[in-house]
Amino acid sequence: MMKQKPNLPFWNLWNLSFGFFGVQIAYALQSANISRIFATLGADPHSLSYFWILPPLMGILVQPIVGTLSDKTWTRWGRRIPYLFVGAAVAVLVMCLLPNSGSFGLTIGAALIFGLVALMFLDTSINMAMQPFKMLVGDMVNEEQKAKAYSIQSFLCNAGSVVGYVFPYVFAFVGISNVAAKGVIPDSVIWSFYIGAAILIGCVIYTTLKVKEWNPQEYAEYNGSLTTDSSPKGEGSEDKSDWISLLRKAPSAFWKVGLVQFFCWVAFMYMWTYTAGTIADTVWNTTDTASKNYQDAADWVGILFAVQAIGSVVWAAVLTQFKNAKFAYALSLILGGVGFAMVPFIHDQYLLFVPFILIGCAWAAMLAMPFALVTNALQGYGHMGAYLGLFNGTICVPQIIAAALGGTILTLVGSAQSTMMLVAGISLLIGAACVTIIKVKK
């Protein structure tokens, strides 16, 4: 007979996820500055998207591995926290190296390769640090408090994103140099990564000191007795099926929501890749990555991404008021598509807040709706964990495909990065149209 997990005080729930704030700062710095860094190092716009293959690829490889290994790990420091700490430590080291890729006197090609290797390690370590937070909540929080725990995690995630996005702009505003020699990353970006790294390790140390994971005996009391592979008995009571078999049996909603996901994540991959070049061209009237105007534009992209994150939080609250989930989902994607389509035609930096708020509406729906629709459709199918792991592929695979095709599509649309915003908008509108074929299970 399993014991009921106890209710945890608010600050215990907060401590479980507090390190996520630091991890998300690192992730936001990466998301907002990767294209800027590689463009500054000398990458051609047509090859920019190739550097973006790594983040989703590392996500689809690292997170399942960390999840599986940590299930079987028991140490005096816990089972999840060792992976969290190692991931954060590597991330801190790489965050100090990546923005300095152009400062070691390397050739353009060597600097790009150095940056690419650093990015690979950064993606790996961020994913390694991110996954344990999700599992800590699953391990230690009862069903009654899980919604509250994930809400705290969501708040810290969004707060960390906003902080990471605005760092370069703030540092440039207070006087840290925003320009550098050709091929060298400005100090405002370098110091953003340094401070982000310091906050990351501070948050993770705080979590490590404040959170005491259960030992194997305590874990077994609350989650079921452990089998030889360290999985609680009861979780493995379903018949064993391989991934191919599960996909064959998956409900139609699994595939239809996955189709919507494809067009959504293609759109956002192109936003992350081409927004810096777009805003530099359409608002600051430059394509010279060594110019002050380009770096000012790239700083402003961080502000726009922060506006998108704030808009997403507000719209997420509005989404709960809709009774028709499909209508809310489609409407959100349409608003985002309109937002993307507006970007190339707005030449005022402050008016750009409008389209990025609309893009935030789509982002809110993408985070909330797909898993809600799919978990609803999967009721009675069993293998929920395996199915959700497979469904995670509908986030990673579209990004990998979009990144691989980005240079080709950019050439086809006339090589103007701003036109890729239109491609993103059209992709979201197609996604909205695909929502109509989803059958919602009552």
Side-chain angles (χ1 to χ4, degrees):
M1 183 75 178
M2 283 190 296
K3 289 169 64 175
Q4 176 68 29
K5 293 177 186 176
N7 280 335
L8 299 177
F10 172 83
W11 289 112
N12 287 38
L13 297 173
W14 175 274
N15 292 340
L16 280 175
S17 295
F18 183 69
F20 214 98
F21 176 75
V23 173
Q24 201 61 32
I25 288 177
Y27 193 72
L29 282 168
Q30 174 188 288
S31 299
N33 293 286
I34 288 306
S35 285
R36 171 191 197 166
I37 287 172
F38 284 104
T40 302
L41 290 175
D44 182 90
H46 294 82
S47 63
L48 269 184
S49 67
Y50 303 145
F51 297 103
W52 282 93
I53 293 175
L54 282 174
L57 185 60
M58 289 300 104
I60 205 171
L61 293 175
V62 174
Q63 292 199 20
I65 292 172
V66 170
T68 302
L69 290 179
S70 66
D71 279 345
K72 303 177 182 181
T73 298
W74 296 98
T75 71
R76 57 181 292 191
W77 299 284
R79 66 198 302 227
R80 315 297 187 187
I81 285 177
Y83 293 90
L84 162 63
F85 198 87
V86 171
V90 175
V92 166
L93 175 63
V94 181
M95 287 175 74
C96 295
L97 290 174
L98 176 58
N100 285 297
S101 300
S103 305
F104 300 128
L106 303 172
T107 63
I108 292 176
L112 288 171
I113 291 171
F114 181 90
L116 189 60
V117 172
L119 177 61
M120 182 179 71
F121 277 102
L122 182 59
D123 288 324
T124 302
S125 57
I126 287 177
N127 276 291
M128 190 173 178
M130 190 180 294
Q131 189 69 358
F133 287 108
K134 301 173 185 175
M135 294 184 288
L136 277 172
V137 172
D139 287 349
M140 303 182 70
V141 179
N142 62 36
E143 294 301 318
E144 182 184 340
Q145 288 191 302
K146 269 186 183 170
K148 185 176 182 180
Y150 282 121
S151 295
I152 293 170
Q153 198 168 97
S154 178
F155 169 79
L156 290 166
C157 174
N158 284 301
S161 293
V162 171
V163 171
Y165 287 145
V166 303
F167 263 173
Y169 179 84
V170 170
F171 287 147
F173 182 80
V174 300
I176 296 176
S177 177
N178 197 37
V179 291
K182 188 174 179 65
V184 177
I185 311 304
D187 284 348
S188 58
V189 177
I190 292 174
W191 277 99
S192 295
F193 275 79
Y194 287 171
I195 302 300
I199 295 173
L200 169 59
I201 199 65
C203 290
V204 169
I205 289 173
Y206 176 90
T207 297
T208 304
L209 293 175
K210 290 291 187 179
V211 175
K212 185 180 184 301
E213 291 189 74
W214 291 324
N215 61 39
Q217 291 71 34
E218 291 171 319
Y219 182 90
E221 288 177 3
Y222 291 114
N223 294 279
S225 59
L226 295 172
T227 61
T228 54
D229 68 351
S230 296
S231 298
K233 285 180 180 175
E235 286 184 6
S237 58
E238 296 165 329
D239 61 293
K240 302 294 184 184
S241 295
D242 60 71
W243 289 354
I244 300 299
S245 299
L246 291 177
L247 289 173
R248 283 177 179 160
K249 299 173 187 174
S252 64
F254 180 96
W255 297 105
K256 291 173 182 177
V257 176
L259 180 64
V260 178
Q261 287 271 83
F262 178 86
F263 292 106
C264 291
W265 287 99
V266 165
F268 276 82
M269 172 55 73
Y270 291 150
M271 181 191 81
W272 295 323
T273 306
Y274 298 109
T275 298
T278 296
I279 304 307
D281 185 18
T282 58
V283 180
W284 271 265
N285 301 312
T286 185
T287 56
D288 179 7
T289 57
S291 67
K292 182 178 185 301
N293 278 356
Y294 179 88
Q295 300 301 337
D296 286 344
D299 285 346
W300 195 249
V301 168
I303 299 296
L304 295 175
F305 283 5
V307 167
Q308 176 218 311
I310 294 168
S312 173
V313 172
V314 174
W315 187 249
V318 175
L319 281 176
T320 62
Q321 306 304 311
F322 284 93
K323 293 183 178 178
N324 187 322
K326 279 177 58 175
F327 175 78
Y329 194 8
L331 174 64
S332 302
L333 299 186
I334 290 169
L335 291 174
V338 170
F340 276 123
M342 291 169 65
V343 171
F345 304 103
I346 295 178
H347 306 290
D348 179 277
Q349 67 189 93
Y350 296 102
L351 280 179
L352 282 168
F353 288 168
V354 175
F356 277 87
I357 288 172
L358 295 178
I359 292 168
C361 296
W363 183 246
M366 285 166 58
L367 295 183
M369 295 292 186
F371 281 92
L373 291 168
V374 168
T375 53
N376 194 22
L378 286 170
Q379 294 302 321
Y381 274 75
H383 303 284
M384 182 69 78
Y387 270 119
L388 293 184
L390 291 168
F391 190 69
N392 194 55
T394 67
I395 295 174
C396 298
V397 172
Q399 293 180 68
I400 294 169
I401 293 172
L405 296 177
T408 302
I409 295 175
L410 180 61
T411 301
L412 291 174
V413 297
S415 296
Q417 293 187 58
S418 58
T419 312
M420 295 301 284
M421 297 295 106
L422 295 176
V423 173
I426 291 168
S427 188
L428 268 191
L429 293 176
I430 294 173
C434 292
V435 172
T436 60
I437 67 173
I438 301 170
K439 289 185 179 179
V440 177
K441 184 176 178 181
K442 299 297 183 184

